[in-house]
Amino acid sequence: MSALRSDIWCGVFVRRHNDLGNMCVVARRGDPIAGQVFIEVDHLDGTRSLFTPAPMAGRPDDARLVFQRRFGRVEASKVSERIAREIEFDPDLWVLSLDLRGDDVGIDVI
């Protein structure tokens, strides 16, 4: 089964969080069909978390996007630096920015 297009997945994610009252925006648009998706979470307490695509070996055999927590509640600069390094390597990357006081981003995390 093929994965859902990145632009559609990102649009649904942003809409769902905005409907829940969380501020969520597309901070960087990538390749609409197959760009990787990074989710940057601002916990509104001076810390941020970063979720990146999980390694292929850990993913289930279906179309769901599965993430891993790369950083959990660290300084904002650490997350920004990691995203900048990844963009140099993969210019097709999507970055979603979410303001969320809690920890439930609403994604599959392994």
Side-chain angles (χ1 to χ4, degrees), residues 80-100:
S80 298
E81 289 168 5
R82 177 67 178 110
I83 291 171
R85 279 198 320 261
E86 190 67 27
I87 290 170
E88 288 178 15
F89 175 74
D90 180 9
D92 294 330
L93 177 73
W94 286 78
V95 179
L96 305 180
S97 182
L98 171 64
D99 291 353
L100 184 67

Side-chain angles (χ1 to χ4, degrees), residues 12 23 30 43 51 55 74 95 100:
V12 169
M23 181 64 181
H43 295 285
F51 295 88
V74 297
V95 179
L100 184 67

Side-chain angles (χ1 to χ4, degrees), residues 42-48 73-76:
D42 183 343
H43 295 285
L44 305 172
D45 63 359
T47 64
R48 292 198 180 160
R73 294 189 178 262
V74 297
E75 295 176 8

Side-chain angles (χ1 to χ4, degrees), residues 11-50:
V12 169
F13 182 87
V14 168
R15 174 82 183 254
R16 181 181 63 173
H17 276 285
N18 285 327
D19 286 349
L20 291 170
N22 304 321
M23 181 64 181
C24 187
V25 298
V26 175
R28 184 174 199 285
R29 291 188 186 280
D31 181 78
I33 297 171
Q36 295 289 326
V37 179
F38 277 33
I39 303 171
E40 175 185 26
V41 179
D42 183 343
H43 295 285
L44 305 172
D45 63 359
T47 64
R48 292 198 180 160
S49 296
L50 179 64

